[in-house]
Amino acid sequence: MHSAAGDGFLAVDSGGSGLRVVVGTPDGGTTAPRESRVPVRTGPRGIDPGHLMEQLVPLVRGLLPESGVSGLGTAVVGAAGLATLGDALRAELPGALEREFGVRTVALVADAVTAYTGALGPRAGAVVAAGTGLIAVGTDLRTWRRADGWGHLLGDCGGGAWIGRAGLEAALRAHDGRSGGSAALLARAEESFGPVRELPGRLYPRTDRPAVLASFVPQVAACAESDPVARGILREAARHMADSAAAVCPAQGEAHVGLTGGLFRMGAPLLVPLEEELERRLPGVRVVPAAGGPLEGSVQIATDLARGSLRLPPDAAMLYVVTPKRG
């Protein structure tokens, strides 16, 4: 156990695939990331702080000797689900980090905010984070706003699961002879999943339905150049993304919108209609390539906290900061 805060910081990205961790100093140096591929459990109290610490402690102990820091004064933990599942983390993690590593300043940050910061940096604007799901986050540096991120049954409109589902629906329409179907997507669906009449029985019992739906996205993208139905699906996805970006983008000043997440690796079939839809909804918009991902966002927030220069607004659900008590 450390008794006093040191000069280093800890930055963590906790998501569905596990933990990634770096240790660094405010002058900009960081270790190479270490990771655990075990996702942090959730339970009746939400994200389990004890399980997170079980994963985190050996990673940090492995990093400290190579980091060159005298100790850890600041920690930033970016966590998927923090906004709705973070009560136990907020109650217990700051104390656990202080006991284990001497950390005095802790920020618990929603993964949407670390994605925002990694993509756009600590400035006003909006970020669309799109993978299997989709969420948009914006700030005017006074408050945070979010749109969508409601999961594949209630939202995530324009995300990977949404696109995959729309593509499979078009395939089933073609199979039935209904309007709006796509023979090209039907052929791709049967290549991917077998006879489409068997698809409900294969899909509905699975617990990873969003990922299965999203696995069809490359087929929709491959058909988009020659198939108007596939092209229309991507146009509609772009429209949903632009709607979410417009809902959270600050009303004043130049509109900066960052794009982050694996869905954008699709390239032109999605990016071309998205830039058109963003310009329609946010005239004069400046689309900014993502500078980094959620771990880089955690590092940026940790660096700014350690320097005392954090400009991003605190928020109980999105960016919860615990600082040493004076006395």
Side-chain angles (χ1 to χ4, degrees):
M1 184 188 303
H2 295 265
S3 59
D7 60 350
F9 66 73
L10 168 65
V12 181
D13 173 39
S14 172
S17 58
L19 289 179
R20 294 188 302 150
V21 181
V22 299
V23 170
T25 57
D27 63 10
T30 65
T31 62
R34 292 204 181 189
E35 64 180 298
S36 163
R37 296 185 179 275
V38 179
V40 176
R41 289 192 298 258
T42 58
R45 298 191 307 142
I47 303 166
D48 184 337
H51 191 236
L52 190 151
M53 288 295 290
E54 287 176 22
Q55 306 299 316
L56 185 61
V57 168
L59 296 176
V60 178
R61 295 221 176 277
L63 284 171
L64 282 172
E66 66 189 65
S67 68
V69 304
S70 63
L72 297 174
T74 303
V76 172
V77 179
L82 180 78
T84 53
L85 298 170
D87 286 352
L89 280 191
R90 284 184 281 268
E92 298 177 22
L93 197 64
L97 288 168
E98 182 172 13
R99 288 190 299 274
E100 193 68 42
F101 299 116
V103 173
R104 302 294 304 282
T105 300
V106 176
L108 303 178
V109 189
D111 59 335
V113 172
T114 56
Y116 179 102
T117 310
L120 206 56
R123 60 179 167 179
V127 165
V128 178
T132 298
L134 185 137
I135 189 170
V137 179
T139 183
D140 56 4
L141 301 182
R142 293 188 296 274
T143 60
W144 290 98
R145 297 183 68 182
R146 57 165 280 178
D148 212 339
W150 298 118
H152 76 291
L153 291 177
L154 298 175
D156 286 358
C157 297
W162 185 97
I163 291 171
R165 181 196 173 282
L168 291 170
E169 181 186 348
L172 292 168
R173 284 180 170 275
H175 173 269
D176 295 347
R178 290 179 286 150
S179 64
S182 164
L185 289 170
L186 174 59
R188 296 272 183 161
E190 296 202 313
E191 287 173 13
S192 299
F193 299 106
V196 292
R197 70 177 65 87
E198 299 174 8
L199 186 56
R202 291 173 181 239
L203 178 64
Y204 291 165
R206 295 185 61 151
T207 57
D208 59 344
R209 286 187 299 271
V212 176
L213 292 170
S215 73
F216 196 58
V217 167
Q219 309 302 330
V220 178
C223 290
E225 184 174 347
S226 57
D227 181 65
V229 173
R231 191 159 55 249
I233 289 169
L234 296 182
R235 168 67 66 175
E236 185 66 17
R239 194 170 295 126
H240 283 304
M241 291 179 183
D243 284 345
S244 290
V248 301
C249 198
Q252 304 300 319
E254 185 181 8
H256 289 85
V257 175
L259 307 177
T260 188
L263 195 60
F264 295 117
R265 288 197 288 268
M266 185 190 309
L270 180 60
L271 291 175
V272 169
L274 177 55
E275 290 184 3
E276 292 171 356
E277 292 294 333
L278 284 169
E279 179 62 36
R280 185 178 66 81
R281 291 301 309 274
L282 296 164
V285 66
R286 183 178 173 196
V287 179
V288 181
L295 182 59
E296 289 75 19
S298 288
V299 168
Q300 176 74 61
I301 293 169
T303 300
D304 291 346
L305 263 181
R307 292 173 174 170
S309 60
L310 184 66
R311 297 174 60 211
L312 297 172
D315 180 279
M318 305 282 281
L319 178 53
Y320 178 76
V321 180
V322 178
T323 55
K325 293 183 175 64
R326 299 173 186 267

